[in-house]
Amino acid sequence: MTNLSILGTGNMGQAIAAVAAKGGHSVQQLGANDLGTPVSGDIVVLAVPYPAVSEVISQRGAELAGKIVVDITNPLNFETFDSLVVPADGSAAAEIAAALPSSRVLKAFNTTFAGTLAAGTVGPLTTTVLIAGDDTDAKATLAGVLTSGGLNAIDAGALKRARELEAIGFLQLTLAANEKVSWTGGFGVAA
């Protein structure tokens, strides 16, 4: 059993918590009003919007040392929905890794919608979570949580692949916002 702490109580945080619980893992879900509650999980999921990440790191950075930290954000310009707000050769995950040098940072969940995580399917396919990171053991630990919860997981490579995952997430979000794909659908992986 793995212990997860999910920072964020929105749709994505709830969906990730449900997948982990389905797999028999313990879940601590913390919201903005839980600042005095210590983070207890071995895996910490940053289930907050990209603009809130720096504040979370400022408030809880010391607690995240030695933990697997999962960045689920899509760093897009929420005012215009027309671009990512990180440098073209960077990613939100790279920024988080630089801010948390004692943590094992992964990028995951940003290419799935909450509805597909909750349903466990994207159309006829089992929902697949792509995971990027530089720590093989951390990726395997997260993949184990996901597969025990009924999802598929694919190692997408090093943390530098987060840039491509964020581009896919950006495309999927803009398609859904423009009603080209549904919020309960999205991209699936047939392997």
Side-chain angles (χ1 to χ4, degrees), residues 101-188:
S102 298
S103 300
R104 299 182 290 165
V105 176
L106 303 176
K107 183 74 175 191
F109 298 108
N110 75 300
T111 60
T112 56
F113 289 140
T116 63
L117 289 172
T121 58
V122 178
L125 303 172
T126 299
T127 300
T128 298
V129 177
L130 303 173
I131 306 169
D134 294 333
D135 187 304
T136 303
D137 291 338
K139 289 189 283 187
T141 300
L142 180 59
V145 170
L146 298 172
T147 57
S148 68
L151 305 182
N152 292 331
I154 294 178
D155 183 337
L159 193 63
K160 65 183 178 182
R161 293 286 72 87
R163 177 63 187 181
E164 288 79 17
L165 295 182
E166 291 174 5
I168 293 169
F170 168 58
L171 176 61
Q172 184 170 264
L173 283 167
T174 57
L175 290 172
N178 289 303
E179 300 180 354
K180 305 289 183 183
V181 299
S182 91
W183 291 100
T184 57
F187 298 137

Side-chain angles (χ1 to χ4, degrees), residues 48-136:
V48 297
Y50 173 72
V53 168
S54 60
E55 183 177 350
V56 169
I57 290 172
S58 167
Q59 294 168 340
R60 294 195 178 266
E63 290 182 80
L64 304 180
K67 297 185 183 287
I68 298 169
V69 175
V70 183
D71 167 33
I72 76 166
T73 66
N74 281 302
L76 61 101
N77 182 327
F78 285 100
E79 291 178 17
T80 64
F81 259 70
D82 70 352
S83 65
L84 294 173
V85 295
V86 293
D89 62 347
S91 67
E95 292 175 354
I96 292 167
L100 298 172
S102 298
S103 300
R104 299 182 290 165
V105 176
L106 303 176
K107 183 74 175 191
F109 298 108
N110 75 300
T111 60
T112 56
F113 289 140
T116 63
L117 289 172
T121 58
V122 178
L125 303 172
T126 299
T127 300
T128 298
V129 177
L130 303 173
I131 306 169
D134 294 333
D135 187 304
T136 303

